[in-house]
Amino acid sequence: MAQTLETLSRHSNTLTSIRGIVHTMKTLSAINATPYEHAARSIEAYHQTILQGLEAFAYRTGEIRLRQVEALEHLFIVFGSDHGLCGNYNEILAAVVRQNSQLQASTKHRLLCIGAQMNDALDDQGLTPDAVLLPPASADGIGRLAGDIVTRIDRFSRGQPLYQLGVTLAFTQRGEHGAREPVTLRLLPLEPGLLQREKYWNSRSLPDYTMEAEALLSSLIRSHIFASVFRASAEAMVTENAARLALMQQAEQSVDERIEDVKGELRSVRQTEITNELMDVIIGFEALQKKRRPEALQPARTASKPRKS
């Protein structure tokens, strides 16, 4: 019984240490998500400015009709995690990428993966990335990653026009009521409505520009691509930390329940041990009482009455 009590005590101490680690992981996930949320909101405002610039360019220059042809090659850029403890976060997105690649079976596909864990998930789906990049270690690294991806898109195009190039972003974004959902966003070819001319301009000041139209359009499109990649990376980091936070909350609750169970067993074992020790004392006391009682009665049985003279 003493050995069982010692084992339970050691088990309780181990669970308490595990709970401390889980609580620390949960706190870090909540703290890490905040800078990425700020980055996502900032790039969203910047992206809206770029879209307004494209709208103004189309209004000033005239509507630009983009040719819609099927791309000969398609590049999937998949944003996943580099660390574990986030449940099936990567596996769900990898299944979505697999499904989308099957829908475009006539097109040659290439994969650019962000995150070692996502690389393993894609490998389980039978998909092999051409390159695996490290996700940003902080919010400051999102711009570096986005710039690297834009450069790789330029290399992938090999001078082809944008309407002949297919690029899709696959990432997990925030949904309603704290939910997460995997999405695929077509980045290239550009959407036809992106350079559609509006009939009326909602301002008294008509838009104008001084630099060359081709250089301005190229700069706006590149900024649009950069902002889209930046937002996808930021959303992926926010949802990754949210997934890890939710998993750590579940783990913390499970550990708390297990600690309560072990403490209950520990109290039961202690009470049983105390009861057994008390029973041993009582039994020993009764045994001593029984032994002393015959010795006290022995002189009365052996004494004889005196004879009369």
Side-chain angles (χ1 to χ4, degrees):
M1 191 66 67
Q3 184 178 359
T4 303
L5 182 62
E6 181 181 356
T7 302
L8 289 173
S9 298
R10 187 164 56 248
H11 193 187
S12 178
N13 294 334
T14 302
L15 288 173
T16 303
S17 300
I18 293 175
R19 189 193 183 282
I21 296 173
V22 171
H23 182 74
T24 302
M25 292 289 293
K26 185 181 74 170
T27 304
L28 288 175
S29 299
I31 293 173
N32 290 337
T34 302
Y36 296 116
E37 290 179 1
H38 294 164
R41 286 197 295 266
S42 299
I43 201 62
E44 188 66 28
Y46 171 76
H47 197 190
Q48 288 300 320
T49 303
I50 297 300
L51 294 178
Q52 290 174 2
L54 288 169
E55 183 180 353
F57 180 87
Y59 188 87
R60 173 66 178 82
T61 307
E63 184 172 345
I64 301 175
R65 297 187 179 273
L66 300 174
R67 295 176 59 184
Q68 298 296 314
V69 297
E70 185 177 357
L72 300 177
E73 285 187 316
H74 203 98
L75 175 64
F76 277 95
I77 304 174
V78 189
F79 293 86
S81 69
D82 201 45
H83 303 286
L85 298 177
C86 52
N88 57 353
Y89 175 86
N90 298 286
E91 287 73 14
I92 293 176
L93 185 58
V96 172
V97 174
R98 169 77 175 176
Q99 183 179 3
N100 277 267
S101 62
Q102 289 177 345
L103 293 176
Q104 302 175 5
S106 60
T107 306
K108 181 181 178 181
H109 295 92
R110 298 177 64 182
L111 284 173
L112 178 60
C113 173
I114 290 87
Q117 296 290 328
M118 177 56 72
N119 183 29
D120 295 338
L122 291 172
D123 185 65
D124 293 339
Q125 294 291 333
L127 302 173
T128 303
D130 291 66
V132 180
L133 303 180
L134 293 175
S138 64
D140 296 334
I142 300 179
R144 171 197 57 79
L145 176 63
D148 188 8
I149 292 175
V150 171
T151 302
R152 289 175 181 268
I153 292 175
D154 289 338
R155 294 175 184 171
F156 173 71
S157 66
R158 295 192 296 271
Q160 300 179 62
L162 293 179
Y163 60 81
Q164 294 182 357
L165 184 64
V167 177
T168 298
L169 304 178
F171 58 97
T172 305
Q173 70 176 5
R174 291 167 289 178
E176 296 181 354
H177 308 294
R180 301 181 303 275
E181 54 184 3
V183 295
T184 55
L185 175 64
R186 193 184 79 168
L187 186 59
L188 293 174
L190 296 174
E191 292 291 341
L194 197 63
L195 294 173
Q196 185 176 4
R197 187 180 190 275
E198 298 293 337
K199 293 183 179 179
Y200 303 100
W201 185 254
N202 190 21
S203 175
R204 288 197 232 171
S205 301
L206 295 179
D208 196 7
Y209 53 84
T210 56
M211 63 186 298
E212 294 183 1
E214 184 176 352
L216 176 59
L217 179 60
S218 177
S219 178
L220 288 171
I221 292 176
R222 186 177 180 86
S223 297
H224 164 66
I225 295 174
F226 176 85
S228 299
V229 173
F230 190 105
R231 177 183 174 275
S233 179
E235 282 288 332
M237 296 304 299
V238 171
T239 52
E240 176 192 343
N241 282 281
R244 188 171 292 110
L245 174 61
L247 189 65
M248 291 300 102
Q249 286 177 337
Q250 295 177 2
E252 188 177 41
Q253 183 178 358
S254 299
V255 171
D256 287 340
E257 292 175 356
R258 183 54 186 158
I259 287 176
E260 290 299 321
D261 293 340
V262 171
K263 285 183 177 179
E265 295 177 9
L266 193 59
R267 287 192 293 267
S268 177
V269 169
R270 283 176 177 172
Q271 186 62 42
T272 302
E273 188 177 56
I274 293 172
T275 302
N276 291 337
E277 290 179 355
L278 288 175
M279 290 298 297
D280 291 341
V281 172
I282 293 173
I283 292 173
F285 178 76
E286 290 180 351
L288 288 175
Q289 289 294 100
K290 290 179 180 179
K291 184 177 180 181
R292 290 176 180 177
R293 198 171 300 155
E295 291 178 356
L297 296 176
Q298 188 67 28
R301 292 180 181 178
T302 56
S304 59
K305 296 181 179 180
R307 295 181 180 180
K308 295 181 180 180
S309 55

